Amino acid sequence: AQVPQMSSYGVPSALGAARMMTLNAAAAGAGNAVLLVSNLDEQKVTPDALFTLFGVYGDVHRVKILFNKKDNALVQMAEPHQAQLAIAHLDKVKVWGKNIRVTQSKHTLVQMPKEGQPDAGLTKDFTNSPLHRFKRPGSKNCQNIFPPSAVLHLSNIPPNIEEDFLSDAFAQHGQVKAFKFFPKDRKMALIQMASVDEAVTALIAMHNYPLSDTNHLRVSFSKSTI
C-alpha cells in the first residue's frame, strides 16, 4: 500500500490522504466492466441497438434496459478497459437526438431475470454472440477504434453490391453526403453522413445488415475523410 505523505507534524497530510482516496476509487472503478447508460430514447432503445453501438468499443456480454426507467440501461462489457473506452468515446454523444450519459455502474455484473420472471425482452445475454468485434486476440479491429464520426468505414461488401444500393440503404437513416469504394479493395468503402448524430443512428441500424446469404455489412467509425 502507498504510504501517505507526512506533514511536518508527522501526521499524514490531507493532500496525501485525498490523493490515496482518488487512486483507490479509480482502481475500484477501473476493475468494473458494467456501464450505466442514461438519457436514452425509450421508444427506440433495444438491447440489440446498445449491443451494436457499445460493441464498437468492446465485446458486449449483457444489456439490461431498466424496467421502471426505460431511458436507463446497464451494459456489461467483456473487460474493464473496454468499459473505459466506451465512456471516453460515447459519454455525451447524441443517440437518437438525445445526449446520452455513460458512466461506471456500481453493479459489477448484469443479472439475468430469474426463471418465470417477466422481463418483456429488456435483458439480453450476448456472451456467445457471433457478432463480437474483438473476440480474436490481436484482431485488426483493436487498432481501428475511433470516436463517433460523420464518416463511416464499411467492409465485407460482396462484389455484386453497387454504390447506389448502399447509399439508398444509408439514406433511410440520414443524409448521405459522399461515398467512395476503396480503389484497391472493393470489399470496403467510406460513406459520409451529414452529421455525427446521423452516422451514429446509421451505424446502429446498418451494422450486420445482410447483403447476401453469407455477407453481413460491417460498419465502424472512421478517422478518414472522403
Side-chain angles (χ1 to χ4, degrees):
Q2 192 179 10
V3 179
Q5 296 169 338
M6 303 302 270
S7 69
S8 50
Y9 300 100
V11 182
S13 72
L15 184 71
R19 192 175 294 151
M20 271 193 79
M21 279 174 71
T22 310
L23 282 168
N24 291 343
N32 188 359
V34 181
L35 300 165
L36 173 65
V37 188
S38 52
N39 204 35
L40 290 157
D41 183 327
E42 289 186 29
Q43 304 303 315
K44 295 190 174 162
V45 68
T46 62
D48 288 282
L50 294 176
F51 169 76
T52 300
L53 178 60
F54 281 78
V56 172
Y57 299 109
D59 293 338
V60 175
H61 280 186
R62 287 180 178 176
V63 177
K64 180 189 283 288
I65 295 166
L66 303 190
F67 192 78
N68 297 322
K69 208 162 184 271
K70 293 192 176 67
D71 59 348
N72 280 248
L74 295 172
V75 176
Q76 182 178 333
M77 307 297 284
E79 295 174 19
H81 80 267
Q82 296 176 347
Q84 295 302 319
L85 272 176
I87 291 172
H89 290 310
L90 292 175
D91 184 39
K92 302 189 183 76
V93 164
K94 236 182 208 167
V95 182
W96 302 303
K98 298 178 74 172
N99 293 88
I100 65 167
R101 293 305 317 265
V102 183
T103 56
Q104 199 90 47
S105 169
K106 59 181 189 296
H107 297 277
T108 50
L109 60 97
V110 171
Q111 297 280 1
M112 293 306 290
K114 293 184 178 63
E115 278 298 315
Q117 222 181 13
D119 179 63
L122 296 176
T123 310
K124 201 161 172 183
D125 188 307
F126 295 96
T127 309
N128 298 318
S129 167
L131 304 178
H132 292 305
R133 295 180 190 238
F134 303 99
K135 239 188 345 217
R136 287 200 309 275
S139 155
K140 268 215 308 267
N141 294 329
C142 298
Q143 294 133 45
N144 293 318
I145 293 175
F146 303 112
S149 52
V151 176
L152 297 168
H153 178 276
L154 313 182
S155 59
N156 211 25
I157 304 167
N160 61 321
I161 295 289
E162 297 298 334
E163 174 182 334
D164 288 353
F165 178 87
L166 289 165
S167 290
D168 290 348
F170 275 82
Q172 308 299 309
H173 308 287
Q175 185 189 357
V176 175
K177 303 284 276 188
F179 182 95
K180 186 177 86 181
F181 277 113
F182 276 58
K184 292 198 180 87
D185 185 356
R186 213 182 153 289
K187 291 199 290 289
M188 297 195 288
L190 295 173
I191 192 164
Q192 183 175 351
M193 305 301 286
S195 66
V196 175
D197 308 1
E198 288 184 2
V200 168
T201 304
L203 179 140
I204 291 170
M206 294 299 298
H207 179 64
N208 207 44
Y209 184 84
L211 296 174
S212 73
D213 291 344
T214 52
N215 292 76
H216 287 68
L217 184 65
R218 296 182 65 81
V219 184
S220 307
F221 297 118
S222 173
K223 66 177 191 313
S224 306
T225 50
I226 301 183

